[in-house]
Amino acid sequence: MTTTPTSPTGQPSPASPATGAEPDRSASLARTATGLLREVNELGLLHAADVHVARRLGAVTGEDDERVLLAVALAVRAVRHGSVALRLSGVGDLVPEDADDSGTVEPVTVPWPERDGWLEALRRSPLTVEHRPGEDPDAPRPTAPLHLVGDGLWLDRYWRQELAVARDLRERSRAVAPFEPALVEAVLDRLWPGDRADDQRAAAAVCLSHGVSVLAGGPGTGKTTTVARLLAAVHALSGGAPRVALAAPTGKAAARLTEAVVSAAGQGAFTTAERSFLRGATASTLHRLLGIRPGSVRARFDAEHRLPHDVVIVDEASMVGLGVMARLLSALRPGARLVLVGDPQQLASVEVGAVLADLVAPAASSPHGVAQLRRTHRYGGTIAAIAQAVREERPADVVELLRAGGPDVEFLEVPDEELVTGAALDVVRTDVVARSRAVVEAARAGDAEAALAALDTHRLLCAHRRGTRGVSHWGGLAQRWAVEELGVLPRPDGRYVGLPVIVTANDPAVGVFNGDTGVVLEEDGVLVAALGRGAGPLRVPLARLAAVEPVHAMTVHRSQGSQFETVTVLAAPERSPLATREMFYTALTRARSRVRVVGSARAVAAAVERPLARATGLADRLRG
């Protein structure tokens, strides 16, 4: 059968942009593999590591059926690409992991086993234990490396994590005692005076009446405002200072949550005690909250040593993977409330799973509460209309709105088979150079705040890291434009005053986090990075930052949680595995006031039609 590229597989590796030659795949080939494993490996659908795991498990258990070993290797591959499980019915949608320099993939013909025989071989295998639909998932069963339900195949580790998350969510949802309804209404009337129909007020009520709740909403819908007032309500209803933990999956997101809550303390009908409580709020990363040290599998807080908090609120929860969620739930004490805040339409975690999306899926029917904020306060007009059309999977309307344009939207249609050149290139160059000029001039004047403000006036977003539509290519172009147009004289290491930079690793000792962006300044003859902070720029000697790189362009993944005045989106080509609804929506909604999309109408439509295909079983488990 012929495979068509209809589901994302992660970041493809590039071909040589200079020659257009096929990429070097030697490192991904399992040299000693035979049979089906070798064929599928050579077609680019499996990495050598997937094959090695399958062969090792076969050797340990005596399993030599090549159909079973292929399924094992594909299950390992699925986890590498973020899925919790492998659906055998979906293998025909898999695409090679290598792509040419435009980010597209060619269909390949794969000798997949006949499905019924494949399933029967898995049922007989010592590697697999089969579970019948409707049976108690917690009933004692034989241990095995893989679990089979229908045509879904789970590696044992992720099977157990998903079971644990579903069980903990159900139990916690039922176990936490609700606040007195009349008291809740009185407090919410004070915090949202005059409007009982306000969607933020309704969302807070849902969070206060459930042990586990999801506060969902797109950018600018007031999630952080709701969180601040929710905290004030918890303070009032608890009769004193409750033990609250604020957390986020990344250091940057945690810092922004802290700044937003502290800032909100000055805007609302809060009592003096509530205002003081909010101003003292501090968010941490989930890893720091749980006491997980880098490189360690142990945590300070777990099922035996519970977190002391009454309420835990997790922001940017769409970025939280299954493993971290399992650890968090096991570490919460029985009476603690959990509030997950985020946008389920955005890109999922870089780790395994799509927990937030599963919790709001129609299939999920656990007694957890889901509150959806729909009114956008940050942007309106055509951007809001396009975002809504993307969420509702209306590709023709998205293209029509883009083509109609407006003061806040511009569509530069460029065929996928062409590079971004000519008029489109000139338009992008004009914005990039204008932004760079403002940043460099402010940096040369030593005005860190103005330089940081200028940095966020425009951002170039790419789905790909490499290739002619990738960050590496466009970042290099932007650096060259800055040098040519602005008279910049880089030092031997390529750095200069006004260089935009991004931190790529956490450094808590210095107070910087992966994803922090800033501008290089010179102070007393020393280059420093001025990083954006709500209370004012944080200045760190550039030599002190071990993990920092230029940020003329940014991947859509890395842009999550950020906002820019104007965004230029380089749409992934129609046949790219990264042309997905979540990728396009996330990129589009990074703009505060204006967005430019560069790409073909076919690429945009394909992305809107194609969801991020992560196979999980959590929503079904919650329903069951």
Side-chain angles (χ1 to χ4, degrees):
M1 64 182 289
T2 299
T3 295
T4 54
T6 57
S7 67
T9 61
Q11 180 62 51
S13 57
S16 167
T19 65
E22 289 297 317
D24 180 9
R25 297 193 53 250
S26 57
S28 65
L29 294 176
R31 301 293 185 185
T32 59
T34 59
L36 270 176
L37 282 176
R38 184 182 185 88
E39 288 186 71
V40 179
N41 177 214
E42 290 180 341
L43 287 170
L45 293 174
L46 290 174
H47 193 275
D50 309 329
V51 176
H52 294 324
V53 171
R55 297 181 70 197
R56 177 60 179 164
L57 285 175
V60 169
T61 61
E63 176 61 77
D64 59 4
D65 190 316
E66 63 179 5
R67 296 169 298 178
V68 174
L69 299 183
L70 176 61
V72 174
L74 289 170
V76 176
R77 178 196 192 275
V79 168
R80 268 198 306 111
H81 290 289
S83 288
V84 180
L86 166 72
R87 302 288 182 188
L88 293 183
S89 56
V91 296
D93 293 335
L94 300 181
V95 295
E97 301 191 45
D98 293 318
D100 65 25
D101 66 342
S102 66
T104 62
V105 292
E106 294 295 333
V108 294
T109 300
V110 183
W112 298 119
E114 186 273 325
R115 184 173 175 273
D116 290 343
W118 201 357
L119 283 170
E120 187 57 36
L122 284 167
R123 293 188 184 105
R124 295 194 306 262
S125 174
L127 284 170
T128 307
V129 58
E130 184 178 16
H131 303 263
R132 300 293 182 183
E135 73 176 18
D136 180 2
D138 295 319
R141 297 297 303 269
T143 59
L146 295 108
H147 298 260
L148 181 68
V149 180
D151 76 336
L153 196 63
W154 280 255
L155 297 177
D156 182 67
R157 174 183 178 184
Y158 302 100
W159 169 268
R160 294 182 184 279
Q161 284 182 351
E162 204 169 68
L163 280 181
V165 167
R167 180 180 61 249
D168 287 350
L169 285 170
R170 285 195 300 267
E171 292 177 355
R172 185 166 304 280
S173 295
R174 299 186 183 107
V176 178
F179 290 113
E180 174 61 42
L183 295 178
V184 170
E185 288 296 310
V187 170
L188 296 183
D189 283 343
R190 172 169 62 82
L191 295 173
W192 278 275
D195 189 2
R196 287 200 167 195
D198 187 287
D199 64 350
Q200 296 179 14
R201 182 191 192 280
V206 169
C207 296
L208 292 169
S209 59
H210 291 80
V212 176
S213 55
V214 175
L215 176 57
T221 53
K223 296 189 295 293
T224 305
T225 300
T226 306
V227 166
R229 296 187 188 183
L230 175 63
L231 286 171
V234 169
H235 183 280
L237 294 167
S238 300
R243 295 170 295 182
V244 174
L246 299 178
T250 68
K252 181 179 75 169
R256 292 192 175 188
L257 177 60
T258 299
E259 293 168 3
V261 170
V262 171
S263 175
Q267 311 163 9
F270 303 122
T271 66
T272 301
E274 290 165 358
R275 208 176 298 280
S276 176
F277 178 61
L278 292 177
R279 286 174 173 158
T282 302
S284 72
T285 66
L286 279 168
H287 280 70
R288 179 177 289 187
L289 175 68
L290 294 171
I292 302 173
R293 293 190 175 134
S296 173
V297 297
R298 301 183 64 84
R300 178 184 176 191
F301 295 103
D302 53 24
E304 302 298 323
H305 307 87
R306 304 293 184 116
L307 289 164
H309 306 96
D310 303 308
V311 179
V312 174
I313 299 177
V314 180
D315 196 17
E316 297 289 353
S318 64
M319 299 166 64
V320 181
L322 179 67
V324 174
M325 185 61 70
R327 286 190 169 206
L328 173 63
L329 287 166
S330 69
L332 294 177
R333 66 185 189 82
R337 296 177 189 276
L338 175 63
V339 181
L340 302 174
V341 183
D343 185 353
Q345 303 291 334
Q346 286 191 28
L347 287 164
S349 166
V350 295
E351 299 177 349
V352 174
V355 177
L356 190 69
D358 284 340
L359 288 178
V360 302
S365 58
S366 173
H368 64 272
V370 177
Q372 181 76 50
L373 301 179
R374 302 190 183 278
R375 182 182 174 189
T376 300
H377 303 274
R378 181 169 297 157
Y379 53 70
T382 310
I383 295 179
I386 294 173
Q388 181 68 15
V390 173
R391 287 194 298 269
E392 295 175 358
E393 304 172 30
R394 295 185 277 118
D397 290 345
V398 171
V399 172
E400 182 180 348
L401 287 165
L402 284 172
R403 284 175 168 166
D408 56 346
V409 169
E410 180 181 8
F411 186 28
L412 299 179
E413 289 196 56
V414 179
D416 286 349
E417 58 271 15
E418 294 181 11
L419 305 183
V420 182
T421 57
L425 183 67
D426 292 340
V427 171
V428 175
R429 176 173 180 151
T430 297
D431 267 5
V432 170
V433 170
R435 191 280 314 269
S436 296
R437 177 175 286 108
V439 172
V440 169
E441 289 177 354
R444 287 173 175 171
D447 191 338
E449 291 188 355
L452 290 169
L455 181 63
D456 284 348
T457 59
H458 178 264
R459 189 58 51 89
L460 184 59
L461 299 181
C462 309
H464 294 271
R465 292 187 182 278
R466 306 175 188 88
T468 52
R469 289 178 183 264
V471 166
S472 59
H473 176 76
W474 284 89
L477 279 179
Q479 177 110 341
R480 192 182 76 199
W481 294 337
V483 171
E484 293 175 351
E485 299 267 349
L486 307 179
V488 168
L489 296 175
R491 300 187 178 199
D493 60 4
R495 294 170 174 176
Y496 57 87
V497 174
L499 176 70
V501 294
I502 186 167
V503 176
T504 57
N506 292 335
D507 192 344
V510 182
V512 301
F513 304 99
N514 185 6
D516 277 344
T517 55
V519 176
V520 174
L521 283 75
E522 186 173 5
E523 297 181 351
D524 298 325
V526 176
L527 292 185
V528 301
L531 305 173
R533 290 290 186 272
L538 171 67
R539 291 171 168 81
V540 181
L542 201 55
R544 178 64 179 81
L545 298 174
V548 64
E549 59 188 41
V551 66
H552 294 290
M554 180 181 279
T555 62
V556 178
H557 263 288
R558 193 175 278 282
S559 75
Q560 285 187 269
S562 300
Q563 292 285 313
F564 313 100
E565 286 302 317
T566 298
V567 165
T568 295
V569 180
L570 297 182
E574 177 187 9
R575 286 165 49 197
S576 166
L578 298 184
T580 68
R581 185 181 311 139
E582 291 81 358
M583 184 75 76
F584 187 65
Y585 173 83
T586 302
L588 182 77
T589 55
R590 297 312 90 201
R592 290 195 188 97
S593 58
R594 189 167 182 271
V595 65
R596 173 191 298 119
V597 176
V598 183
S600 71
R602 292 185 308 175
V604 169
V608 176
E609 291 173 340
R610 183 186 298 146
L612 182 68
R614 285 200 171 181
T616 75
L618 182 57
D620 288 334
R621 294 188 198 282
L622 292 174
R623 179 181 57 193

